[in-house]
Amino acid sequence: MGSETYDYVIVGAGSAGCVLAGRLSEAGASILLLEAGGADANPLISIPIGMGKMHQHHMHEWGDLSEPEPNLDGRRMPVTHGKVLGGSSSINIMAYTRGHPRDYDRWAQNGAHGWSYVESLPYFKRGEAWQGGEDVWRGGDGPIGTQWARTADPIYPS
Ligand SMILES: Cc1cc2nc3c(=O)[nH]c(=O)nc-3n(C[C@H](O)[C@H](O)[C@H](O)COP(=O)(O)OP(=O)(O)OC[C@H]3O[C@@H](n4cnc5c(N)ncnc54)[C@H](O)[C@@H]3O)c2cc1C
């Protein structure tokens, strides 16, 4: 091991760790990003439906189970989370979702200052590049590209 020094050490290269490392390095900081899992070279990671195959074979995940659930006859349920570069975002469904505005507002009312939906919205927008460009709700040039779901049964406008 060398004797390099870093401005920040980030443990876990999942969604939050990678965003943090990206933003800090854009600002000129040097980062050591540590990840317990391996590289994200598996092509299934880049294919939305590839998630099904990864789950079937328990690939790139920690394999954790819940405590025995009294309301499920004592069964222990899988608590899936990613163990790979990209973390859970490398094994997820790739559906872009935000929480319900009322949840954020309730958190703010209960003391989480700065977390109301109106205050959170600029950060959601900053992260998003919506296919239709920026509007009141959507971001236009963030790092996460978003689009309507592609489907043979067009329930959404194209
Ligand atoms: C199956 C599944 C499907 C999902 N589908 C969606 C979806 O479609 N849309 C959506 O918005 N959200 C979805 N989610 C949720 C979303 O992916 C997660 O909320 C998000 O990725 C969590 O980000 P995180 O940074 O908190 O944690 P993670 O992304 O899980 O990152 C944690 C990282 O830390 C690493 N780590 C942990 N301990 C250590 C250690 N001691 N040393 C080094 N590294 C360590 C882990 O290996 C992992 O890479 C899904 C989640 C799962 C599990």
Side-chain angles (χ1 to χ4, degrees), residues 10-19 33-38 51 55 60-62 79-98:
I10 298 173
V11 181
S15 309
C18 288
V19 169
L33 181 58
L34 298 171
E35 169 54 45
M51 170 230 175
H55 287 305
H60 308 303
E61 61 177 72
W62 285 83
V79 181
T80 307
H81 52 136
K83 185 179 183 182
V84 62
L85 200 62
S88 300
S89 70
S90 286
I91 62 162
N92 75 12
I93 303 171
M94 297 190 193
Y96 179 80
T97 57
R98 295 178 187 170

Side-chain angles (χ1 to χ4, degrees), residues 60-113:
H60 308 303
E61 61 177 72
W62 285 83
D64 290 341
L65 294 172
S66 70
E67 293 299 312
E69 295 289 345
N71 295 322
L72 294 173
D73 199 22
R75 281 178 295 158
R76 303 180 70 180
M77 305 306 290
V79 181
T80 307
H81 52 136
K83 185 179 183 182
V84 62
L85 200 62
S88 300
S89 70
S90 286
I91 62 162
N92 75 12
I93 303 171
M94 297 190 193
Y96 179 80
T97 57
R98 295 178 187 170
H100 195 286
R102 283 193 202 147
D103 287 335
Y104 294 87
D105 291 342
R106 199 179 63 243
W107 295 337
Q109 282 160 13
N110 289 334
H113 301 297

Side-chain angles (χ1 to χ4, degrees), residues 21-29:
R23 295 292 190 200
L24 287 170
S25 57
E26 280 165 20

